[in-house]
Structure formats: structure tokens, C-alpha cells
Amino acid sequence: MDNEHKIIIAIDGFSGCGKSTTAKVVAKKLNYIYIDTGAMYRAVTLYFCQNNIMLDDEAQIDKALANIEIRFEYNASSGQNVTLLNGKVVEDEIRKMYVSARVSPVSAIPAVRKAMVAQQRQMGEGKGIVMDGRDIGTNVFPNAELKIFMEADVVVRAERRQKELAAKGQEVDLQEIIDNLSQRDHQDSTRKENPLTKAIDAHTIDTTRMTIEQQSEEIVGLVESLVRC
């Protein structure tokens, strides 16, 4: 697809719905750039954890954000993008439960969101991107040509997350994951700064009984319909 017809695809939704995996597949199918905003907030959370940043200390937070550089790099051996925090690969570390347990309150901090949104908007200037997160279609790119909102049953989401963690050697009780997801759903949906909500013009996809391939094909179909119009 030539650059003239490329668009911005904004994918929002609850954690564990398959947003990131689906977004990666869609980007590959369309030859778009994939931007993992969740990884960006996880990287900030990791930095805050490593440097004992207090979430109620504005001066500390501002100083920390000035020292955080996040970028994505393609790993040829794995065929995947990896997240780098200040030049160090942190892809596995940011997926651990201690980061998952802290990412929602960190993401809710206005200064953190402002810093990350500025980077995200810069990444999308050339279009031809797939970006997933919590407020992409409502805040980061409210004029995105295609907006998707993904949802799924919380138990199914927890089972998926448990399998992902097990594949990385992390054995976590299913109920712990359900509790974590439920807490994150509540925090993300009720935070004051750009809460998780469905954009009026977003297409809803319930992924409870859908495979990643089915999810990606549905989105690609929507893109092709838009481009033809």
C-alpha cells in the first residue's frame, strides 16, 4: 500500500484482549509500523520502580521523565519488536507481574501521559501506523481514520495472560491474574486523566471466542473498505 493511502489505526480496549498481538499482525499484513504504547507505560513504570520514584512527588516525576528515553527496535532473530529503556532491552522485564501491578497508577499521572502522548503523536506524523493502548482513539489520535475497541470476558483474558507468563517461565495463579486485570480495568476506566472509554466512532470487537487471525482479518477488512471508499 502506498503512503498516500496509508492511515492511522487506533486500537483501544481492556488488558488481555489481544490488542498488542493483533496490532502486530495487522501491521505486518499492511506493512505498517506497530507502536506498543502499553510497553511505553510499562517502561516508565519499570524506571520508576528501579529508581524508587514516589508517585506523589511531582518534582521527582518530572526529573525522571526527563531522563527516560523509550524506543522500539526490530529483533531479526525473533522477528519481533523489542522495547528499549535508555538503550537497554527491557522487553521481558516490563511484562513481569510486579510491573503489571503498578502500571495503571503510573499511567494515570498527568505528567507521564503528557510525555508519552507527545512521543506517540510524533511517531504517527507519517501515518501508516497501528497503535494500541487505552486512549489512542479518544485522546492521542481522535481523528484516526480507523478506531477499534476490543473487549473480552475477564476469565478468558486471565487464562491468556497466564499462558503468556507460563511461556516465559512465570507460574502465576489464575485468580491473582483475574484480580490484577479487574483492578486495572477499574483504574483505567475511572482515572481522571483520559480514562479508558470507547470512542463514539469506534468499531467494537469482542475477542472472547476469536483467534488472533480472526481479529486481525476483521481489522484488515475494515482498512481495505476505508481505503476503497
Side-chain angles (χ1 to χ4, degrees):
M1 189 179 295
D2 57 77
N3 289 331
E4 184 181 349
H5 295 95
K6 286 188 174 182
I7 64 173
I8 291 175
I9 303 170
I11 303 178
D12 291 311
F14 297 97
S15 180
C17 288
K19 296 191 306 297
S20 296
T21 305
T22 298
K24 291 173 187 175
V25 174
V26 170
K28 188 172 183 179
K29 286 177 180 287
L30 297 173
N31 194 27
Y32 276 30
I33 296 170
Y34 167 65
I35 299 170
D36 185 349
T37 62
M40 295 174 72
Y41 287 106
R42 283 175 174 273
V44 173
T45 302
L46 176 61
Y47 184 93
F48 280 19
C49 289
Q50 292 175 335
N51 293 275
N52 301 312
I53 305 300
M54 303 299 294
L55 302 191
D56 58 354
D57 189 326
E58 292 184 11
Q60 222 183 15
I61 290 169
D62 289 340
K63 184 178 179 180
L65 289 171
N67 292 316
I68 292 175
E69 179 192 49
I70 300 168
R71 60 187 177 88
F72 299 99
E73 197 172 86
Y74 183 73
N75 185 314
S77 61
S78 67
Q80 302 288 337
N81 281 341
V82 294
T83 309
L84 284 83
L85 172 60
N86 294 335
K88 181 181 179 182
V89 175
V90 293
E91 188 63 34
D92 290 338
E93 195 66 23
I94 62 173
R95 308 295 173 183
K96 292 184 176 179
M97 282 300 292
Y98 79 93
V99 174
S100 295
R102 294 169 174 81
V103 66
S104 286
V106 171
S107 301
I109 298 171
V112 172
R113 300 205 69 79
K114 183 178 180 181
M116 294 302 102
V117 168
Q119 288 190 37
Q120 291 156 15
R121 285 177 176 157
Q122 187 174 22
M123 293 173 183
E125 287 177 355
K127 295 203 173 185
I129 65 165
V130 183
M131 187 178 288
D132 71 285
R134 300 291 189 280
D135 63 346
I136 311 305
T138 55
N139 177 51
V140 183
F141 292 115
N143 296 317
E145 292 88 345
L146 178 60
K147 301 174 187 176
I148 305 293
F149 189 86
M150 297 175 71
E151 57 188 20
D153 178 80
V154 68
V155 176
V156 172
R157 290 189 282 142
E159 290 171 345
R160 291 171 180 169
R161 183 58 51 83
Q162 187 182 47
K163 288 179 182 177
E164 290 174 3
L165 293 170
K168 296 177 181 178
Q170 300 178 54
E171 298 298 329
V172 183
D173 180 71
L174 183 63
Q175 189 59 51
E176 181 183 349
I177 300 174
I178 291 173
D179 293 343
N180 173 254
L181 290 175
S182 298
Q183 182 180 30
R184 289 183 64 187
D185 288 349
H186 177 72
Q187 290 175 331
D188 291 341
S189 302
T190 59
R191 68 187 182 210
K192 292 181 180 180
E193 192 77 11
N194 301 311
L196 167 64
T197 184
K198 178 187 172 184
I200 296 173
D201 53 346
H203 297 264
T204 300
I205 299 178
D206 187 329
T207 72
T208 302
R209 295 176 178 83
M210 293 178 73
T211 65
I212 295 298
E213 184 62 22
Q214 289 171 330
Q215 295 169 40
S216 62
E217 282 301 318
E218 182 166 341
I219 296 172
V220 169
L222 290 169
V223 173
E224 291 173 344
S225 297
L226 277 173
V227 173
R228 283 197 299 267
C229 293

